[in-house]
């Protein structure tokens, strides 16, 4: 039986953080065992915000290197850069012409981003989810592993597939979104989603001391003022992180001993730091090795793009033919 196809993407801006890792990337690596997985560094999505060309180019390679270090290796999946496969933007244009503007204006990410970048509310920010729909549907992916913030975009992708199919005939499957066990972690402020653009992130390649400093000063249960006050793990972001990084026994201990004030926040943070670093240390070592060998990373991306172009070209030919766009 043919394996189901998985597709997901990440923007190459800023640093890859713990939210990206536990919300998406860790799950991607698990899925490679069972599915035919394609992962993408979505550079065209990132230019909805102004990028400095030189730093941008380095950021794209660094993101790819980090993903490989996390386990998205060519032995188990396909990794490529979006702009290497022209059909993404081509299909996105077609979807632009099928989608009412109202559907796009309703997207939470559009509303948030246009608040954040008031001086640059460009059309790409609005049509961003249709490029995402094109990414997914171009490979007829059935499963899209993402963090919670992307669910609305996958729902739009489903509607887009349905719209195309009903007008031009069955072409695209409607993909399902798949959340990880930790679909959303908050930033070090404990109030807003951990995000590259909010400055509240902990990067997965940051040195152990830097990660400790961020954890040490991170907001916990704000009702717990004194060491002797009982805490409530259910509302504490650090506990969410424990659930993602610590073994079951530690999670159970933290849950009980935080409530009974047997441990303080600093004790809890120390345990968390140890467990986070246990998981990140090998990733950091592999990433450092990759940094020294950019030729390898470029090679992986080249190979990935070749494979994706071979999948995308016939699909686009079919789409053009169905729409009455003449071949040469
Ligand atoms: P982005 O950095 O926006 O390209 O996101 C890449 C992936 O990480 C997407 O699947 C997001 O849903 C996921 N993600 C981003 N931030 C978080 C977070 N704070 N918690 C969980 N998942 C996240
Ligand atoms: N929009 C996603 C984000 O901001 C990134 C992305 C682009 C994506 N294309 C995708 C995710 C396709 C899943 C599938 O996180």
């Amino acid at each position: 039986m043919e394996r189901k196809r998985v597709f997901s993407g990440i923007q190459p801006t800023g640093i890859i953080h713990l939210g990206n890792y536990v919300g998406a990337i860790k799950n991607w690596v698990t899925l490679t065992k069972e599915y035919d997985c394609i992962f993408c560094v979505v550079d065209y999505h990132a230019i909805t915000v102004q990028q400095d060309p030189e730093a941008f180019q380095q950021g794209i390679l660094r993101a790819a290197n980090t993903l490989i270090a996390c386990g998205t290796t060519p032995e188990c999946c396909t990794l490529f850069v979006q702009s290497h496969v022209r059909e993404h933007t081509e299909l996105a244009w077609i979807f632009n012409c099928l989608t009412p503007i109202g559907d796009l204006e309703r997207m939470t990410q559009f509303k948030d981003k246009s608040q954040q970048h008031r001086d640059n509310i460009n059309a790409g920010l609005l049509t961003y989810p249709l490029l995402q729909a094109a990414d997914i549907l171009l490979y007829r992916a059935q499963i899209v592993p993402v963090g919670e913030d992307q669910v609305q975009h996958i729902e739009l992708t489903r509607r887009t597939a349905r719209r195309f199919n009903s007008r031009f005939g069955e072409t695209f499957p409607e993909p399902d979104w798949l959340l990880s066990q930790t679909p959303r972690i908050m930033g070090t402020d404990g109030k807003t989603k951990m995000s590259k653009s909010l400055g509240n992130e902990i990067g997965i390649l940051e040195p152990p001391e830097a990660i400790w400093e961020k954890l040490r000063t991170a907001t916990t249960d704000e009702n717990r003022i004194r060491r002797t006050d009982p805490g409530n793990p259910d509302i504490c972001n650090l506990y969410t992180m424990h659930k993602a990084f610590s073994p079951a026994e530690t999670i159970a201990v933290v849950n009980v001993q935080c409530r009974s004030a047997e441990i303080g926040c600093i004790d809890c943070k120390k345990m968390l730091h140890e467990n986070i670093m246990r998981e990140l240390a090998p990733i950091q070592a592999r990433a450092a090795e990759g940094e020294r060998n950019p030729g390898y990373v470029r090679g992986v991306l080249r190979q990935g793009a070749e494979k994706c172009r071979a999948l995308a070209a016939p699909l686009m030919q079919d789409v053009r033919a169905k729409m009455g766009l003449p071949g040469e």
Side-chain angles (χ1 to χ4, degrees):
M1 220 177 71
E2 229 176 82
R3 291 192 303 168
K4 280 192 179 178
R5 163 100 18 95
V6 167
F7 185 99
S8 198
I10 186 165
Q11 298 195 53
T13 43
I15 51 175
I16 293 184
H17 54 69
L18 293 183
N20 298 135
Y21 180 71
V22 298
I25 301 166
K26 195 174 169 180
N27 210 19
W28 296 3
V29 176
T30 310
L31 292 168
T32 61
K33 295 193 182 73
E34 210 177 321
Y35 300 106
D36 173 11
C37 295
I38 304 179
F39 302 118
C40 182
V41 177
V42 292
D43 50 353
Y44 274 141
H45 277 104
I47 60 169
T48 50
V49 173
Q50 263 187 39
Q51 304 292 343
D52 166 68
E54 204 168 308
F56 191 39
Q57 195 175 17
Q58 282 169 8
I60 293 165
L61 277 180
R62 194 171 313 120
N65 181 43
T66 311
L67 293 176
I68 296 169
C70 287
T72 62
T73 60
E75 288 75 34
C76 62
C77 64
T78 305
L79 178 69
F80 76 110
V81 176
Q82 187 184 37
S83 66
H84 291 175
V85 183
R86 306 285 184 252
E87 283 85 351
H88 288 250
T89 42
E90 185 181 357
L91 187 57
W93 172 254
I94 291 172
F95 291 162
N96 267 293
C97 300
L98 290 177
T99 310
I101 289 186
D103 282 20
L104 300 172
E105 285 168 338
R106 266 197 298 279
M107 295 291 121
T108 314
Q109 188 167 319
F110 170 67
K111 291 188 211 159
D112 290 350
K113 287 257 162 98
S114 36
Q115 287 281 331
Q116 275 172 32
H117 306 281
R118 281 175 181 283
D119 52 340
N120 183 18
I121 307 181
N122 58 70
L125 218 46
L126 181 69
T127 60
Y128 176 110
L130 294 176
L131 179 57
Q132 182 165 354
D135 296 341
I136 297 165
L137 298 179
L138 193 52
Y139 303 101
R140 309 182 81 251
Q142 289 137 293
I143 305 171
V144 187
V146 283
E148 196 178 59
D149 60 339
Q150 294 302 313
V151 169
Q152 203 183 28
H153 289 168
I154 314 306
E155 289 295 337
L156 181 77
T157 302
R158 292 173 64 92
R159 277 203 298 285
T160 306
R162 226 175 296 147
R163 217 171 253 141
F164 187 96
N165 292 345
S166 69
R167 256 186 79 183
F168 301 109
E170 199 59 31
T171 309
F172 301 113
E174 285 182 40
D176 290 316
W177 38 270
L178 180 72
L179 296 182
S180 75
Q181 308 248 10
T182 323
R184 174 185 162 100
I185 67 170
M186 307 304 262
T188 45
D189 54 4
K191 291 187 184 63
T192 44
K193 183 189 81 157
M194 187 176 285
S195 164
K196 292 162 182 167
S197 48
L198 297 176
N200 63 0
E201 78 277 40
I202 299 179
I204 64 171
L205 298 187
E206 289 192 68
E209 314 77 58
I211 295 185
W212 168 246
E213 198 47 33
K214 287 187 177 178
L215 284 177
R216 189 183 68 78
T217 52
T219 308
T220 55
D221 171 5
E222 285 184 311
N223 298 321
R224 194 175 188 198
I225 297 160
R226 280 175 297 266
R227 165 77 170 73
T228 48
D229 292 338
N232 179 2
D234 298 331
I235 57 164
C236 182
N237 191 33
L238 276 295
Y239 185 61
T240 312
M241 294 194 201
H242 265 296
K243 284 196 275 190
F245 288 99
S246 297
E249 315 85 75
T250 311
I251 300 169
V253 166
V254 167
N255 191 7
V256 172
Q257 298 192 347
C258 166
R259 287 180 207 278
S260 60
E262 282 167 84
I263 55 167
C265 291
I266 280 291
D267 306 318
C268 170
K269 287 173 169 180
K270 279 184 184 152
M271 286 189 266
L272 177 62
H273 182 249
E274 204 173 292
N275 291 323
I276 289 179
M277 287 322 303
R278 184 178 314 126
E279 184 148 345
L280 294 188
I283 295 174
Q284 296 192 346
R286 284 194 293 271
E289 201 181 306
E291 290 278 345
R292 290 191 291 273
N293 194 357
Y296 171 73
V297 178
R298 283 179 196 279
V300 170
L301 296 175
R302 201 176 307 122
Q303 196 188 323
E306 253 167 47
K307 194 168 155 193
C308 288
R309 278 195 292 267
L311 293 167
L315 187 281
M316 272 318 296
Q317 252 173 26
D318 181 39
V319 165
R320 284 186 219 107
K322 281 180 168 142
M323 296 180 73
L325 297 160
E328 286 175 48

